[in-house]
Amino acid sequence: MTAKEDDFIEQMFVANTHDNILCFSSRGQVYWLKVYDIPQGGRATRGRAIVNLIGCSPGERVEAFVSVKEFDDQHYIVMSTRKGIVKKTVLSAYGKPRKGGIYAIDIREGDKLIQARITNGEHDILLGTHEGKSIRFSEGNIRASGRKTMGVKGIKLSSRSEERRVGKECRS
């Protein structure tokens, strides 16, 4: 597979042909994509942009991917945002795909989704900041909430690091 000079691989995961891939966008939407709908490429192909396959809005970026075999009530999706918000939702809440996507997390202005993972409800969550602070807590400390909710504060960022982060985003 060839790539442009400034292109790089950001995430890699293994999925079966009949699995669903949940694509979480920077605006808090989730889009479904069947693995068999992704065009197969050869050694010399460049691939296609994921946003062209799922049909998200202009300016929207896919921030996280999750591979799902079945949507059950025993698993959860845990999401975190740039400003330290953490949210846990039961996986079955995402079991009815819609072409235009659905809300996964309510994101306030100036914030964006950074990660989403499937868990069984018994893991520890570790959040780290750019300044080197980190926190570890049990996933059981977060109650499960609905799709169109914001979540809870997972880590408190100092105002100094928040100002620096926002300043870096504006210059990029």
Side-chain angles (χ1 to χ4, degrees):
M1 183 165 142
T2 61
K4 294 181 180 178
E5 269 186 46
D6 58 343
D7 201 5
F8 60 94
I9 295 174
E10 190 170 320
Q11 289 185 22
M12 185 183 104
F13 58 90
V14 178
N16 291 324
T17 305
H18 291 284
D19 287 355
N20 290 291
I21 296 178
L22 299 182
C23 304
F24 293 87
S25 76
S26 55
R27 294 185 181 162
Q29 294 278 106
V30 63
Y31 300 91
W32 289 262
L33 182 63
K34 284 286 203 180
V35 172
Y36 58 74
D37 286 337
I38 300 172
Q40 190 167 355
R43 212 167 33 101
T45 58
R46 290 169 90 176
R48 288 182 59 188
I50 196 82
V51 293
N52 295 335
L53 296 173
I54 61 174
C56 59
S57 305
E60 206 168 2
R61 242 189 106 195
V62 175
E63 297 294 338
F65 299 99
V66 174
S67 175
V68 179
K69 188 175 298 258
E70 61 181 271
F71 296 92
D72 58 19
D73 290 331
Q74 288 76 37
H75 290 90
Y76 300 91
I77 293 183
V78 175
M79 295 167 265
S80 62
T81 69
R82 189 171 199 93
K83 289 194 174 181
I85 302 295
V86 179
K87 179 185 172 189
K88 179 170 88 171
T89 306
V90 68
L91 184 58
S92 61
Y94 300 97
K96 294 188 169 121
R98 294 191 187 108
K99 185 176 176 134
I102 60 171
Y103 286 109
I105 183 171
D106 189 21
I107 296 181
R108 299 239 168 114
E109 191 173 326
D111 201 3
K112 76 175 198 176
L113 182 73
I114 58 170
Q115 192 59 264
R117 299 277 186 195
I118 293 184
T119 67
N120 61 5
E122 301 172 3
H123 289 103
D124 283 349
I125 295 173
L126 180 68
L127 298 175
T129 69
H130 183 71
E131 297 290 318
K133 291 195 304 184
S134 65
I135 187 169
R136 179 181 145 205
F137 54 91
S138 172
E139 186 184 336
N141 293 342
I142 305 170
R143 68 176 176 84
S145 57
R147 284 194 343 248
K148 183 63 174 151
T149 58
M150 192 170 96
V152 296
K153 192 72 143 169
I155 190 168
K156 184 173 181 172
L157 301 173
S158 65
S159 61
R160 194 178 96 209
S161 66
E162 205 168 306
E163 287 172 12
R164 188 177 328 183
R165 186 182 67 247
V166 171
K168 281 185 179 179
E169 288 179 3
C170 291
R171 281 180 276 175
S172 305

